[in-house]
Amino acid sequence: MAAPSGSQRRSLYKLVGSPPWKETFRKLEEPVDLAVLEEIQQELIEQEQSIISEYEKSLQFDEKCLSIMLAEWEANPLICPVCTK
């Protein structure tokens, strides 16, 4: 007996539905995909939090440097070499 052609198989699938192994495979595949996607999402969240933390540390350092420079300028005012004021 000859195997049915592609169009005959499609019409059989329409009558019978998709083969049972396909549905089983889909059910097995979905949780794995969701688990992988959730793991990737968690890694991205951790990276984002790390970047935000480094940025906040950098801002704190910049603010500290600025406050030290301002304190120095207030303690030692600049004198103009031309008018000496």
Side-chain angles (χ1 to χ4, degrees):
M1 179 173 182
S5 69
S7 62
Q8 289 173 334
R9 269 188 246 124
R10 280 190 287 276
S11 61
L12 284 173
Y13 284 152
K14 287 179 184 176
L15 291 174
V16 178
S18 64
W21 59 266
K22 262 190 170 178
E23 193 60 36
T24 304
F25 181 72
R26 281 189 194 125
K27 287 179 182 176
L28 289 175
E29 189 178 51
E30 286 178 15
V32 173
D33 287 345
L34 289 175
V36 170
L37 290 175
E38 287 174 356
E39 183 179 332
I40 291 171
Q41 182 182 20
Q42 187 61 36
E43 288 176 9
L44 289 173
I45 289 171
E46 289 171 4
Q47 284 181 346
E48 183 179 13
Q49 289 173 343
S50 173
I51 291 170
I52 290 171
S53 174
E54 288 296 317
Y55 177 72
E56 288 173 348
K57 286 179 187 176
S58 175
L59 281 179
Q60 289 174 354
F61 178 77
D62 290 347
E63 288 176 8
K64 192 177 198 181
C65 288
L66 182 61
S67 67
I68 290 172
M69 287 183 357
L70 289 175
E72 282 292 319
W73 283 345
E74 288 174 356
N76 302 314
L78 295 173
I79 299 173
C80 176
V82 176
C83 65
T84 62
K85 290 186 181 180

